[in-house]
Amino acid sequence: MRVTTWNVNSLNARKARFIEWTCEASPDVICLQETKMKPEAFPYLELEGMGYESAHFGQGQWNGVAILSRVGITNVKVGLDGGDGSSEEARAISANCGGVSVVCVYVPNGRSLEDDHYRYKLEWLSKLKLHLEKNYRPDQDLVVAGDFNIAPTDLDVWSPEALIGCTHVSEPERDALRELCEFGLTDSLRKFYPQSGIYSWWDHRGGAFHKRQGMRIDYLLVSKSVESRLKWALIDRNARKGEKPSDHAPVTIEFSPPV
DNA sequence: ATGGTAGAGGATCTA
């Protein structure tokens, strides 16, 4: 079973690249972030033509998350427990795909350490943990995937020195991520690649990609039962090259399916 | 020169 997470930074703008990449990589499940699409605009039929059933939580201009599956999709849940209902931003969607529980998240950016959005980010992360505790058990097949907007350690950024005092690397954010993982989740990519220099996001500005100035902020956290069946993990940097790329590369894992 | 780019939407806001 192959599962991908990809912040596409507008599904409309990424349509051609998304279709090209998906046909080539052919994941069973795809978690999308930043669809930036109204609910009624989501291309359910076109995705069905590619073999994917999908569930979308969209709000238009910003945010927007979706789960695509070609192994079935049931028990779709939109948002987080403890959220504000209809006023909640479109940052989380969950479903069961072929016997595996999948949670797709787009964690708030935080903007700066002094910004209210930074406090919102930390609160959102604690709500995500409550959401996991309420809806799942650590001993089941669970994948929590998405754009976390946190670089877990200094290994995950191009220059810790250049990022002192910035969001994505602050201790409270990293603590919140560790607390989330205490539910029983492991950073799947790090099982295969312990080294530095592996990133999933590069700023569109200043030629950051070509200068290798990136961060690893997109990942798939997996429960023990999935971890024990992992075959490989990969960040496809090629998707960040060429015409009209997203600023994020897709991250994919493959594991033996449920028995 | 407090800079740069991309996306949405139609002026700025977000990242």
Side-chain angles (χ1 to χ4, degrees), chain A residues 78-103:
Chain A
V78 151
L80 296 180
D81 291 320
D84 303 314
S86 59
S87 66
E88 181 177 352
E89 288 187 313
R91 293 183 177 276
I93 188 167
S94 322
N96 187 295
C97 302
V100 176
S101 290
V102 178
V103 181

Short mmCIF file of all heavy atoms in Angstrom, two decimals, chain A residues 78-103:
data_model
loop_
_atom_site.label_atom_id
_atom_site.label_comp_id
_atom_site.label_asym_id
_atom_site.label_seq_id
_atom_site.Cartn_x
_atom_site.Cartn_y
_atom_site.Cartn_z
N VAL A 78 -14.65 15.44 8.87
CA VAL A 78 -14.09 16.73 8.49
C VAL A 78 -13.73 17.52 9.74
O VAL A 78 -14.50 17.55 10.70
CB VAL A 78 -15.13 17.48 7.63
CG1 VAL A 78 -14.99 18.97 7.76
CG2 VAL A 78 -15.03 17.04 6.18
N GLY A 79 -12.56 18.11 9.78
CA GLY A 79 -12.15 18.96 10.90
C GLY A 79 -11.67 18.16 12.10
O GLY A 79 -11.43 16.96 12.02
N LEU A 80 -11.50 18.86 13.23
CA LEU A 80 -11.00 18.26 14.46
C LEU A 80 -12.05 18.33 15.54
O LEU A 80 -12.84 19.28 15.59
CB LEU A 80 -9.76 19.02 14.97
CG LEU A 80 -8.51 19.01 14.09
CD1 LEU A 80 -7.41 19.81 14.78
CD2 LEU A 80 -8.06 17.59 13.82
N ASP A 81 -12.05 17.33 16.44
CA ASP A 81 -12.89 17.42 17.63
C ASP A 81 -12.44 18.61 18.46
O ASP A 81 -11.25 18.88 18.58
CB ASP A 81 -12.74 16.14 18.47
CG ASP A 81 -13.37 14.96 17.77
OD1 ASP A 81 -14.44 15.14 17.18
OD2 ASP A 81 -12.77 13.88 17.82
N GLY A 82 -13.38 19.31 19.04
CA GLY A 82 -13.03 20.48 19.83
C GLY A 82 -12.83 21.72 19.00
O GLY A 82 -12.45 22.77 19.50
N GLY A 83 -13.08 21.63 17.68
CA GLY A 83 -12.99 22.79 16.82
C GLY A 83 -14.23 23.65 16.93
O GLY A 83 -15.12 23.39 17.74
N ASP A 84 -14.30 24.67 16.10
CA ASP A 84 -15.41 25.62 16.20
C ASP A 84 -16.52 25.32 15.18
O ASP A 84 -17.22 26.23 14.75
CB ASP A 84 -14.90 27.05 15.99
CG ASP A 84 -13.81 27.40 16.99
OD1 ASP A 84 -13.99 27.11 18.19
OD2 ASP A 84 -12.79 27.94 16.57
N GLY A 85 -16.67 24.06 14.79
CA GLY A 85 -17.74 23.71 13.87
C GLY A 85 -17.59 24.35 12.52
O GLY A 85 -16.55 24.25 11.89
N SER A 86 -18.62 25.05 12.09
CA SER A 86 -18.63 25.59 10.73
C SER A 86 -17.59 26.68 10.53
O SER A 86 -17.19 26.96 9.41
CB SER A 86 -20.02 26.13 10.41
OG SER A 86 -20.36 27.14 11.33
N SER A 87 -17.15 27.31 11.63
CA SER A 87 -16.18 28.39 11.48
C SER A 87 -14.75 27.86 11.43
O SER A 87 -13.80 28.61 11.25
CB SER A 87 -16.31 29.38 12.64
OG SER A 87 -15.94 28.74 13.85
N GLU A 88 -14.61 26.53 11.59
CA GLU A 88 -13.28 25.93 11.61
C GLU A 88 -12.61 26.02 10.24
O GLU A 88 -13.24 25.78 9.21
CB GLU A 88 -13.42 24.46 12.02
CG GLU A 88 -12.10 23.72 12.10
CD GLU A 88 -12.30 22.28 12.57
OE1 GLU A 88 -13.42 21.93 12.99
OE2 GLU A 88 -11.32 21.52 12.52
N GLU A 89 -11.34 26.38 10.24
CA GLU A 89 -10.60 26.42 8.98
C GLU A 89 -10.43 25.00 8.42
O GLU A 89 -10.36 24.04 9.18
CB GLU A 89 -9.22 27.06 9.19
CG GLU A 89 -9.30 28.54 9.44
CD GLU A 89 -7.92 29.19 9.47
OE1 GLU A 89 -7.02 28.66 10.13
OE2 GLU A 89 -7.76 30.25 8.83
N ALA A 90 -10.33 24.91 7.10
CA ALA A 90 -10.26 23.60 6.42
C ALA A 90 -8.83 23.07 6.48
O ALA A 90 -8.05 23.20 5.54
CB ALA A 90 -10.73 23.72 4.98
N ARG A 91 -8.48 22.46 7.64
CA ARG A 91 -7.10 22.03 7.87
C ARG A 91 -6.97 20.55 8.24
O ARG A 91 -5.84 20.07 8.42
CB ARG A 91 -6.47 22.86 8.98
CG ARG A 91 -6.28 24.32 8.62
CD ARG A 91 -5.59 25.07 9.75
NE ARG A 91 -5.34 26.46 9.41
CZ ARG A 91 -4.28 26.89 8.72
NH1 ARG A 91 -3.38 26.03 8.29
NH2 ARG A 91 -4.12 28.17 8.46
N ALA A 92 -8.07 19.83 8.37
CA ALA A 92 -7.98 18.41 8.73
C ALA A 92 -9.12 17.64 8.11
O ALA A 92 -10.26 18.11 8.09
CB ALA A 92 -7.99 18.26 10.26
N ILE A 93 -8.81 16.45 7.63
CA ILE A 93 -9.83 15.53 7.13
C ILE A 93 -9.33 14.11 7.39
O ILE A 93 -8.13 13.85 7.28
CB ILE A 93 -10.17 15.78 5.64
CG1 ILE A 93 -11.38 14.95 5.21
CG2 ILE A 93 -8.97 15.55 4.74
CD1 ILE A 93 -11.96 15.37 3.87
N SER A 94 -10.25 13.24 7.77
CA SER A 94 -9.88 11.87 8.13
C SER A 94 -10.78 10.88 7.40
O SER A 94 -11.92 11.21 7.08
CB SER A 94 -10.05 11.64 9.64
OG SER A 94 -9.69 12.78 10.38
N ALA A 95 -10.26 9.68 7.18
CA ALA A 95 -11.07 8.64 6.54
C ALA A 95 -10.40 7.29 6.75
O ALA A 95 -9.22 7.22 7.13
CB ALA A 95 -11.21 8.91 5.04
N ASN A 96 -11.17 6.23 6.50
CA ASN A 96 -10.60 4.89 6.46
C ASN A 96 -10.41 4.50 5.00
O ASN A 96 -11.35 4.54 4.22
CB ASN A 96 -11.53 3.91 7.18
CG ASN A 96 -10.89 2.54 7.32
OD1 ASN A 96 -10.63 1.86 6.31
ND2 ASN A 96 -10.62 2.14 8.54
N CYS A 97 -9.18 4.15 4.66
CA CYS A 97 -8.86 3.79 3.28
C CYS A 97 -8.31 2.37 3.26
O CYS A 97 -7.17 2.13 3.71
CB CYS A 97 -7.85 4.76 2.68
SG CYS A 97 -8.39 6.47 2.68
N GLY A 98 -9.09 1.43 2.76
CA GLY A 98 -8.63 0.05 2.66
C GLY A 98 -8.18 -0.54 3.98
O GLY A 98 -7.21 -1.29 4.02
N GLY A 99 -8.86 -0.18 5.07
CA GLY A 99 -8.53 -0.75 6.37
C GLY A 99 -7.51 0.04 7.16
O GLY A 99 -7.21 -0.30 8.30
N VAL A 100 -6.98 1.11 6.58
CA VAL A 100 -6.01 1.96 7.27
C VAL A 100 -6.66 3.31 7.59
O VAL A 100 -7.28 3.92 6.71
CB VAL A 100 -4.75 2.18 6.41
CG1 VAL A 100 -3.78 3.14 7.09
CG2 VAL A 100 -4.07 0.85 6.11
N SER A 101 -6.53 3.75 8.83
CA SER A 101 -7.04 5.06 9.20
C SER A 101 -6.06 6.13 8.74
O SER A 101 -4.86 6.05 9.02
CB SER A 101 -7.24 5.15 10.72
OG SER A 101 -8.32 4.33 11.10
N VAL A 102 -6.59 7.11 8.00
CA VAL A 102 -5.75 8.16 7.44
C VAL A 102 -6.23 9.51 7.94
O VAL A 102 -7.43 9.82 7.86
CB VAL A 102 -5.80 8.13 5.89
CG1 VAL A 102 -4.97 9.27 5.31
CG2 VAL A 102 -5.32 6.78 5.36
N VAL A 103 -5.31 10.30 8.48
CA VAL A 103 -5.62 11.66 8.91
C VAL A 103 -4.72 12.60 8.11
O VAL A 103 -3.50 12.44 8.11
CB VAL A 103 -5.38 11.86 10.42
CG1 VAL A 103 -5.73 13.28 10.84
CG2 VAL A 103 -6.19 10.86 11.23
#
